Amino acid sequence: SGWVNSPVFDSAVCVVLIIEAIVVGVQADFYAMQAVTANPSSQQLHAAIHGIEICFCAFFSFELATRIRDACTQRSRMREEFWWLCFDGMLVAFQLANLIFTSISGSGSGSSSHGEISMAIIRILRVFRLFRVLRVLRVVRFIGELRKVVYLIIGSLWSFFWAAMLLSLLIYVLAVFFTQIVADHVQDSKTQVGPLQAKFGTIGMSVLTLYKSISGGIDWQDASEPLVRHVSPILGAVFALYTAFALLVLMNLVTGVFVDSALHLSKVDAQRDLLRKVHRAFAATDADSSGRITWEEFRSQMGSEQMNEFFESLEISTARADDLFHLIDQRGDGMLSFEELVIGGTMLQGPAKAMDLATLSKSFENSMLNLQRELATIRVMQSGPGFHSSSLS
């Protein structure tokens, strides 16, 4: 379990994945050149690539088996790695199938009776070769920053969908508008205008022209010039307003929506990462599995990997471990439960919120009210008969 989850092993797997990605690119280039020109040494090169693929398949099969064995011994690990293990297992299965079908195709290529079977196998091989590229995605698993970027991209897809719907609606309305005007102009003038009909002759061409004019496919002046020259200069002004609105308003608004969504997702991801680090730190610190950790247990784990990750997520120095422990200890009994560690870590992560400030202000007001009551009680006692200063003690 120690070396399977170590950074050294993850780095080694990441390096092998990058090397395999390079080999996949070389193999694709080899097949592309082989399809155009016949090379006498292609058979030896094909055998060499096939041998390298066998080595990669053996390595990734061993890696998958060790990770499954490690995850089966730890339930929490299985919950975290389940979908990655399913993805790795699918890729290893595709790789094994690719090697098997390649061997069958090579062994049956010299027999004419297996011609149809070989052609079917070749078609299957072409499909499996496409799945080899997916193995490069496993690099995301081992690079934290890259994994975070991919997570933000996936989380922003819903915002992208609605932004694309709004842009499509705007383009469609203007496409109908320009297409109808061009059609009426051609029908009234009884003449065929090539540039005008090439850009706005149909709904599809109008949509494509409008999209190109705001995405860099063509210059918006070239797109609007046939409208101004053959129909009316007013249409040029309408087209200019559309371009200005799409580029200056809509695109900037979409960018703002994406940034806001990314910030929200980043905050959620930071909270999930904190919860995972709290769980790891608590599991490593609770030596007697009592469900609560004492200050001695907490202090004994200072300097460990799990505790350093926990303090880094809170942006607190380990030198202030004593202050952190007693601040999180809500019961004041010198022991921390998992719930106290989670709640305290969540409250201390990041800057203070308005709710935290309001809670602090309310707590201060209650303390001041209690102090005023105590002072009032002391004044009453002082004004009464038979008061002695020794009674305060």
Side-chain angles (χ1 to χ4, degrees):
S1 176
W3 64 269
V4 172
N5 300 319
S6 64
V8 176
F9 183 72
D10 290 343
S11 300
V13 174
C14 187
V15 170
V16 174
L17 282 170
I18 294 174
I19 295 174
E20 189 197 23
I22 296 174
V23 172
V24 168
V26 171
Q27 187 177 7
D29 189 62
F30 163 71
Y31 284 132
M33 292 187 298
Q34 190 181 21
V36 178
T37 59
N39 190 353
S41 61
S42 61
Q43 197 68 24
Q44 291 81 0
L45 185 58
H46 178 76
I49 293 176
H50 185 68
I52 295 174
E53 282 192 348
I54 293 176
C55 296
F56 282 134
C57 184
F59 176 82
F60 290 127
S61 300
F62 169 75
E63 183 226 350
L64 177 63
T66 53
R67 290 192 184 277
I68 291 177
R69 181 178 177 275
D70 176 67
C72 290
T73 59
Q74 304 179 37
R75 293 184 178 180
S76 60
R77 192 75 180 176
M78 175 62 77
R79 288 193 297 266
E80 293 178 3
E81 302 289 336
F82 178 76
W83 292 111
W84 277 115
L85 291 175
C86 291
F87 182 68
D88 295 346
M90 180 190 69
L91 295 180
V92 170
F94 281 142
Q95 194 170 21
L96 287 171
N98 186 15
L99 292 175
I100 292 172
F101 282 118
T102 301
S103 302
I104 295 175
S105 176
S107 62
S109 58
S111 177
S112 58
S113 60
H114 295 83
E116 295 182 359
I117 299 178
S118 297
M119 288 301 298
I121 292 175
I122 289 173
R123 294 190 186 97
I124 297 174
L125 276 175
R126 290 172 180 172
V127 176
F128 282 121
R129 285 169 187 165
L130 296 177
F131 283 101
R132 293 176 307 169
V133 184
L134 294 178
R135 291 202 289 268
V136 183
L137 297 178
R138 293 190 62 217
V139 179
V140 177
R141 176 181 182 177
F142 305 106
I143 303 177
E145 294 300 324
L146 186 59
R147 184 171 61 248
K148 183 180 295 186
V149 171
V150 173
Y151 171 73
L152 293 177
I153 291 174
I154 295 175
S156 301
L157 289 179
W158 191 244
S159 299
F160 168 76
F161 171 77
W162 289 113
M165 287 292 295
L166 180 60
L167 181 62
S168 301
L169 182 62
L170 175 64
I171 291 176
Y172 179 76
V173 170
L174 288 175
V176 173
F177 173 74
F178 286 124
T179 304
Q180 186 65 49
I181 289 180
V182 170
D184 294 340
H185 173 75
V186 172
Q187 187 176 6
D188 293 341
S189 61
K190 305 298 182 181
T191 57
Q192 300 292 327
V193 183
L196 187 62
Q197 291 179 299
K199 290 182 172 62
F200 300 98
T202 61
I203 291 293
M205 293 304 302
S206 298
V207 169
L208 184 61
T209 302
L210 291 170
Y211 177 72
K212 285 182 177 180
S213 63
I214 62 172
S215 60
I218 58 175
D219 190 78
W220 70 271
Q221 183 179 359
D222 298 334
S224 61
E225 184 179 1
L227 294 172
V228 175
R229 180 180 299 179
H230 301 286
V231 183
S232 174
I234 298 177
L235 295 181
V238 174
F239 201 96
L241 288 175
Y242 153 73
T243 307
F245 177 79
L247 293 178
L248 301 179
V249 179
L250 188 58
M251 292 302 181
N252 289 328
L253 181 62
V254 169
T255 302
V257 171
F258 283 163
V259 171
D260 183 71
S261 177
L263 291 175
H264 174 70
L265 292 173
S266 179
K267 186 182 298 183
V268 173
D269 183 66
Q271 292 176 351
R272 291 178 179 175
D273 185 63
L274 174 63
L275 183 61
R276 182 172 61 254
K277 291 177 179 178
V278 167
H279 185 273
R280 291 184 60 188
F282 189 86
T285 307
D286 188 15
D288 54 359
S289 301
S290 61
R292 298 174 67 83
I293 55 178
T294 62
W295 164 242
E296 289 73 17
E297 291 176 333
F298 191 83
R299 184 176 56 185
S300 65
Q301 290 296 321
M302 297 305 301
S304 63
E305 179 185 356
Q306 295 85 355
M307 197 63 72
N308 288 335
E309 290 180 351
F310 174 62
F311 274 85
E312 287 176 2
S313 62
L314 296 180
E315 299 181 357
I316 298 176
S317 173
T318 54
R320 304 192 62 182
D322 189 11
D323 298 334
L324 177 64
F325 183 90
H326 292 92
L327 184 63
I328 296 179
D329 185 14
Q330 298 178 355
R331 296 185 179 92
D333 55 357
M335 303 181 70
L336 291 181
S337 64
F338 180 72
E339 291 76 12
E340 287 178 323
L341 199 60
V342 171
I343 295 174
T346 304
M347 292 180 63
L348 293 175
Q349 188 183 37
K353 301 179 182 178
M355 186 65 183
D356 300 328
L357 297 177
T359 303
L360 180 62
S361 176
K362 187 66 177 179
S363 177
F364 180 75
E365 290 178 2
N366 293 334
S367 300
M368 291 300 297
L369 290 175
N370 293 331
L371 180 60
Q372 290 175 2
R373 294 192 189 98
E374 293 293 336
L375 292 176
T377 303
I378 292 175
R379 293 192 186 97
V380 171
M381 294 174 61
Q382 289 177 342
S383 62
F387 172 78
H388 298 283
S389 59
S390 59
S391 61
L392 291 176
S393 58

